Amino acid sequence: MAVVHELICREGDTALGFGDYTLDEKGKLSDWKFDGDLYKIKTFKEITKLEKNGMFAYESVPGTAVHDYIAAPGKVSFTVEGPEDADITLQVEEEKEYAVFINGNEAGSQKSNLGGKVTLSVELGTGKEVKVEVKEI
């Protein structure tokens, strides 16, 4: 896989691709339509941030490229890549318990905060892709 040079795109019928960690300066795109929702993306080497309908959805520090991103009630899944390890914050439901899976292996669980966010770290590196799934328990 590779960075998303359009900043955000449709991948198949139900998934999104977004992010370009190779940019030295911030790339932005607002009001991108997908399945009746409006998305906003900001991305470059230091951060990738996605908003859906004006609300937080995804953030990584440093920037990443995300493929096959699907956010559904009780579950978020995607494949992520980047040049170095990244901390990722996801929007989920408030105060619920979630199991985290990295490349199909359970990596523990955590309760989302009052704002409905969970944070995880992924080990990345040149050419490495990581499949992430966060499922409500």
Side-chain angles (χ1 to χ4, degrees):
M1 296 196 162
V3 297
V4 180
H5 293 290
E6 302 87 15
L7 303 185
I8 189 168
C9 67
R10 174 185 293 268
E11 294 184 336
D13 291 334
T14 60
L16 293 176
F18 58 89
D20 186 346
Y21 57 84
T22 66
L23 297 175
D24 287 326
E25 299 204 13
K26 198 177 295 180
K28 299 179 190 179
L29 181 63
S30 297
D31 299 328
W32 189 83
K33 295 179 183 178
F34 179 73
D35 281 350
D37 296 307
L38 289 176
Y39 288 86
K40 179 179 181 179
I41 179 75
K42 296 177 189 175
T43 186
F44 73 125
K45 66 183 178 182
E46 293 180 17
I47 191 169
T48 294
K49 185 172 183 178
L50 180 71
E51 294 179 7
K52 176 181 176 182
N53 298 324
M55 302 294 289
F56 177 87
Y58 172 101
E59 181 178 276
S60 71
V61 176
T64 55
V66 177
H67 301 279
D68 300 317
Y69 174 88
I70 298 174
K75 180 180 176 182
V76 179
S77 65
F78 55 91
T79 301
V80 62
E81 67 177 290
E84 57 187 281
D85 297 351
D87 291 325
I88 297 173
T89 303
L90 302 171
Q91 181 67 46
V92 292
E93 293 183 49
E94 298 174 0
E95 297 187 302
K96 301 273 183 167
E97 191 76 22
Y98 288 87
V100 177
F101 296 86
I102 305 291
N103 289 331
N105 299 311
E106 190 165 358
S109 64
Q110 63 178 285
K111 187 174 182 179
S112 59
N113 65 19
L114 286 172
K117 293 180 177 60
V118 295
T119 301
L120 55 117
S121 295
V122 292
E123 294 180 12
L124 301 172
T126 306
K128 186 174 181 184
E129 300 172 0
V130 174
K131 174 73 175 164
V132 176
E133 289 183 278
V134 176
K135 299 178 186 179
E136 185 178 342
I137 299 174

